[in-house]
Amino acid sequence: MNIKALTPALSVSPQVHPADMAEIVASGLRSIICNRPNGEETGQPAAAEIAAAAKAHGLDFAHVPVVSGQVGAGDAAAMARALAALPAPVLAYCRSGARSAEVAQLAATLGEGAITRYEIVVIGGGSAGIAAAASILRRRPDVSLAIVEPSETHYYQPGFTMVGGGIFNAEATRRSVEELVPAQAVWIRGAAASFEPGANQVTLADGRVLAYGVLVVSPGLKLDWDAIPGLAAALGANGVTSNYRYDLAPYTDRLVRRFRGGRALFTQPGMPIKCAGAPQKAMYLACHRWESEGVLGGAEVQFHTATPTLFGVADYVPALESYIARYGIDLHLESRLVSIDGTTKTALFEQRRGDIVCRVEERFDMIHVVPPQVAPDFIASSPLAAPSGFVAVDEMTLRHEDYANIFALGDVAATTNAKTAAAARKQAPVVALNALAALDGAAPVAAYTGYGSCPLTVEAGRIVLAEFGYGGKLMPTFPKWLIDGTRPSRLSWLLKERLLPPLYWHAMLQGREWLAAPAAIDPQR
């Protein structure tokens, strides 16, 4: 092939054929743009044929047909949109390569704003980002909106505990990002690297620059597996597992099924973490299975949590304590995992007892570990970060403390609510309304009350449905006669098992705000 590099991000070539894909991949290119109209000459491969071959080799593809000798501003704008959306470096081709070079040059002369500017840019295509984008576009379908997300796969993370408990199949918790991105949005396959809020710009890891009118930041948080020496290397073998990873949740299920006695440890780091009840849920589901199979009596189960209490909202603690007693769990508060050795099956904990801090080594036959969780590196080092490393926002409006056109939601926001998908579901319409208000030059109009929900699965078939807001205030969705959230309930189990997954896929991620209507700003605030 005759590939000519115009810039580090763009090369051009004559007609591409399906047989060329291996060479294109070997050249380090990640995407292909076809600038030829179909049927331009006899024997020309159709764009769909090249697209299928590209996809089979892991390459992205776009068809931006341009008539030879008639390159115009509309062609350049379409080329610019494709270049902004596709992972770089990109190979553009036509009959000889000249037309591709011409339209790319014209696209560049349109200026940075025409190529990369969107009214709203959303950083992150996870639960919070997709939900916020969908809510925005349901309110204003014609707004130009781009979602920056490097991953091809989207996970329903609340389902990982159920996978580890043998309730869900792992495949049911994953879908492609492509099928979830709203039709009106542009999916930019890349990772954000840095922010220039004074210039209203985001720079991507591959060097592309996006300009925005309003920025929505929602890349989630970082699971810091390396913060515990030995953990990353130990995972997935020798009885070391975690439901916090898609590929490991099935291993949890296998370990629990094969367990016939011995020592089982479950850990929880300090706050903040995704769903503060998830570390306990893994333990309760395991214990309930062992109890049902008659092997719990031969198990020594320990729960080591770095927190000073079993759960952060006192109203739910009595129900949880009753299950701690029922399963005979040895509870260790203020006990933090500091290292692990998978080959010797030993874990080292740092424990606080009053003013005394000591280190205790525990042997295990299986251990479920939850890693410390921090802000993503590119957020923590950015001008958007609070001292915690997360994005500094007002807790009610979710608007940045210093930049009126920047909002954050989901796990990355420096708010004191529980970091759960239910919180993101409530935050999304708040951000949608306030982001559109900011785009119009108006003040925020919606308020987030801190709602979060943590369905605490205490046994297969029963859940303590913890729902609370800022300050630990109880915020039940249902009347107490229907579901008393402070007590284990079969109805709550049905909600978690049957209703929440479709609510997630078909309502939350599509901008349908059932039971998520935002509160209005208090005029006295």
Side-chain angles (χ1 to χ4, degrees), residues 193 376-385 389:
D377 295 339
F378 76 97
I379 295 291
S381 62
S382 78
L384 308 184

Side-chain angles (χ1 to χ4, degrees), residues 63 145 174 204 220 246 294 333 347 391 404 447 460 475 477 498:
H63 189 201
L145 183 149
R174 62 178 285 175
L204 306 189
Y246 170 83
L333 301 176
V391 179
M475 300 184 69
T477 300
R498 304 286 178 85

Side-chain angles (χ1 to χ4, degrees), residues 145-501:
L145 183 149
I147 299 173
V148 178
E149 172 56 50
S151 176
E152 299 285 335
T153 306
H154 179 103
Y155 296 100
Y156 175 53
Q157 296 179 39
F160 289 2
T161 295
M162 301 291 268
V163 174
I167 313 298
F168 288 175
N169 183 283
E171 283 298 316
T173 67
R174 62 178 285 175
R175 294 192 182 178
S176 69
V177 171
E178 187 172 24
E179 67 178 288
L180 297 175
V181 170
Q184 307 98 314
V186 174
W187 175 23
I188 297 178
R189 296 161 171 84
S194 62
F195 302 90
E196 293 184 59
N200 293 331
Q201 290 182 347
V202 180
T203 300
L204 306 189
D206 61 12
R208 286 178 288 173
V209 178
L210 305 179
Y212 58 82
V214 169
L215 180 68
V216 176
V217 186
S218 54
L221 49 70
K222 173 184 174 182
L223 300 176
D224 197 356
W225 302 101
D226 293 325
I228 300 174
L231 176 57
L235 286 165
N238 299 310
V240 183
T241 191
S242 178
N243 287 343
Y244 274 69
R245 239 173 58 180
Y246 170 83
D247 61 319
L248 291 174
Y251 183 52
T252 302
D253 180 40
R254 290 197 299 272
L255 288 174
V256 173
R257 286 184 184 278
R258 295 170 182 172
F259 186 86
R260 286 298 176 265
R263 178 175 284 191
L265 309 183
F266 296 82
T267 78
Q268 177 172 321
M271 295 293 145
I273 64 170
K274 290 174 178 285
C275 187
Q280 294 183 57
K281 289 189 275 188
M283 176 176 64
Y284 297 139
L285 280 172
C287 286
H288 185 249
R289 182 182 292 173
W290 297 332
E291 180 185 64
S292 301
E293 295 174 350
V295 299
L296 183 60
E300 182 183 346
V301 183
Q302 297 181 7
F303 183 45
H304 293 262
T305 175
T307 60
T309 59
L310 185 57
F311 194 73
V313 182
D315 297 76
Y316 303 106
V317 171
L320 300 178
E321 287 180 335
S322 70
Y323 278 89
I324 292 288
R326 168 176 160 175
Y327 296 137
I329 296 168
D330 187 7
L331 175 62
H332 296 266
L333 301 176
E334 296 187 281
S335 181
R336 180 174 64 92
L337 179 65
V338 294
S339 69
I340 189 168
D341 187 329
T343 56
T344 63
K345 292 194 170 186
T346 55
L348 184 65
F349 293 91
E350 185 176 88
Q351 299 180 338
R352 177 176 294 278
R353 298 294 179 263
D355 295 330
I356 300 173
V357 177
C358 61
R359 291 200 165 193
V360 177
E361 188 175 85
E362 298 284 1
R363 179 191 58 79
F364 61 82
D365 293 293
M366 71 159 284
I367 183 170
H368 180 274
V369 179
V370 178
Q373 294 162 39
V374 297
D377 295 339
F378 76 97
I379 295 291
S381 62
S382 78
L384 308 184
S388 65
F390 294 89
V391 179
V393 294
D394 176 84
E395 288 206 323
M396 295 293 179
T397 64
L398 302 177
R399 184 173 69 174
H400 196 277
E401 293 178 349
D402 298 320
Y403 306 105
N405 65 335
I406 297 179
F407 298 83
L409 75 158
D411 294 344
V412 81
T415 50
T416 55
N417 61 280
K419 293 186 182 297
T420 66
R425 183 172 65 87
K426 290 280 193 174
Q427 291 170 345
V430 172
V431 167
L433 285 166
N434 290 343
L436 289 172
L439 196 62
D440 296 336
V445 296
Y448 170 59
T449 59
Y451 175 88
S453 175
C454 187
L456 292 152
T457 311
V458 290
E459 59 178 286
R462 290 186 183 274
I463 278 176
V464 173
L465 185 59
E467 297 180 282
F468 51 93
Y470 288 135
K473 178 184 177 182
L474 301 194
M475 300 184 69
T477 300
F478 306 100
K480 195 170 184 178
W481 61 263
L482 183 62
I483 295 179
D484 180 353
T486 65
R487 303 178 64 181
S489 161
R490 290 193 179 277
L491 191 56
S492 296
W493 172 268
L494 292 175
L495 181 72
K496 169 74 173 177
E497 183 189 22
R498 304 286 178 85
L499 297 182
L500 292 186

Side-chain angles (χ1 to χ4, degrees), residues 16-22 24-25 29-34 46-62 91 93:
V16 166
H17 295 84
D20 297 327
M21 295 303 152
I24 292 171
V25 171
L29 295 159
R30 299 178 62 199
S31 304
I32 297 175
I33 297 176
C34 171
E49 183 181 354
I50 303 300
K55 183 177 181 180
H57 285 78
L59 297 165
D60 285 271
F61 180 87
L91 174 66
Y93 74 89

